Amino acid sequence: MATPHIESKKEDIAKTVLMPGDPLRAKMIAEKYLENPVLVNSVRNILAYTGTYKGKRVTVFSSGMGNPSMGIYSYELFNEYDVDEIIRIGSCGAFREDLNLYEVLLVENSYSVSNYLQELTGEEDHVLPSNIELNKKLENAANRLRVNIHHGNVFCTDVFYNQVAIPNLRDNYNCYATEMETFALFSNARKLNKKASAILTVSDNLNTKEVTTSEERQNSFNKMVEIALESII
Ligand code: HPA
């Protein structure tokens, strides 16, 4: 079986999927952390690998950037491949002073002005929660690894350079950071009755305009990946 966007056979995909945005990150994670990783998708260079981590079968599947791309892949994984749970592992731009570069944010709710959910289900909700059970496991894994994490809401935007909305989001919606994929993921999980969550590293700070170097970003990215992998075993 395959879909228009995924060439994998059903049995190629694990029930638990980690989703970074960048295809090369998926490759790096598979090569660094998985035992016996096998490439299971390369349609449009959206690389995906299945292997095991400490005996647990897992697929690392890239989402691409933005809600529409995340929307397509996570929908097909849940709906056609019977995936039970997806954890997005990505980056975010912080806009609270107490959320620093390289720190890790466990997403509680995704707030968006996107109509993705409305188009999908007719519901007009614009705030969607992470799965509580997955978040508990992520929090426990972070504790075991002794990594301090923040918990907070994100603003899921279609506009990377969106500065206009930030004061309102920070002050009225209690958003800590912005990113571009959680709302589609959480919408699909809601419609299809599946589990989804997201854990993010801060790659830039929209207050201070600091940005990370690629090497520093890689190190903090690894911390987040390790939390996600430890949470699923
Ligand atoms: N804006 C939107 N998405 C992001 C950002 C940002 O500044 N940083 C990482 N993902």
Side-chain angles (χ1 to χ4, degrees):
M1 191 206 54
T3 71
H5 313 101
I6 304 176
E7 66 193 334
S8 320
K9 297 199 288 285
K10 197 162 185 171
E11 61 270 24
D12 289 342
I13 304 288
K15 296 292 175 200
T16 297
V17 174
L18 304 188
M19 291 191 92
D22 179 355
L24 293 179
R25 284 259 165 86
K27 182 170 192 280
M28 182 284 285
I29 293 165
E31 287 170 354
K32 185 174 165 75
Y33 292 104
L34 300 190
E35 296 119 33
N36 307 314
V38 176
L39 178 70
V40 293
N41 190 65
S42 59
V43 177
R44 290 176 184 245
N45 282 327
I46 289 287
L47 302 178
Y49 296 81
T50 297
T52 57
Y53 178 78
K54 298 189 178 172
K56 166 85 177 185
R57 196 158 180 264
V58 59
T59 296
V60 183
F61 203 114
S62 44
S63 67
M65 284 186 285
N67 279 319
S69 185
M70 168 58 95
I72 288 170
Y73 295 107
S74 59
Y75 193 92
E76 293 180 6
L77 289 169
F78 281 144
N79 199 47
E80 313 285 331
Y81 288 88
D82 292 344
V83 165
D84 294 331
E85 52 194 20
I86 296 179
I87 300 170
R88 162 163 155 70
I89 43 178
S91 65
C92 62
F95 44 71
R96 289 202 17 168
E97 278 80 12
D98 55 352
L99 187 57
N100 296 309
L101 290 186
Y102 319 122
E103 289 190 322
V104 178
L105 176 67
L106 179 60
V107 174
E108 290 183 334
N109 297 283
S110 173
Y111 168 71
S112 185
V113 293
S114 156
N115 285 325
Y116 188 97
L117 182 71
Q118 198 178 6
E119 282 190 48
L120 186 69
T121 68
E123 289 172 87
E124 273 191 51
D125 223 341
H126 288 274
V127 181
L128 294 176
S130 288
N131 179 270
I132 290 172
E133 193 187 316
L134 292 184
N135 273 18
K136 196 75 218 151
K137 288 184 185 170
L138 286 161
E139 192 182 342
N140 290 342
N143 287 340
R144 287 202 300 277
L145 294 170
R146 298 181 193 285
V147 180
N148 268 325
I149 58 172
H150 295 261
H151 302 69
N153 302 336
V154 291
F155 176 56
C156 185
T157 181
D158 288 342
V159 180
F160 183 88
Y161 300 98
N162 187 345
Q163 295 277 340
V164 180
I166 287 173
N168 179 36
L169 293 165
R170 185 184 48 219
D171 301 338
N172 299 327
Y173 290 90
N174 198 25
C175 288
Y176 280 53
T178 179
E179 56 82 55
M180 306 181 74
E181 291 83 17
T182 49
F183 197 73
L185 173 61
F186 294 0
S187 295
N188 289 339
R190 172 175 289 188
K191 176 174 169 80
L192 299 168
N193 209 8
K194 304 281 187 167
K195 295 179 203 162
S197 184
I199 186 162
L200 308 170
T201 57
V202 178
S203 62
D204 48 287
N205 188 303
L206 282 75
N207 288 319
T208 61
K209 308 276 195 292
E210 287 173 286
V211 290
T212 53
T213 65
S214 53
E215 194 193 341
E216 290 164 329
R217 210 174 307 155
Q218 196 62 58
N219 290 337
S220 65
F221 189 81
N222 288 346
K223 260 192 329 201
M224 169 188 63
V225 172
E226 287 159 22
I227 293 170
L229 285 167
E230 284 293 319
S231 80
I232 63 170
I233 57 178

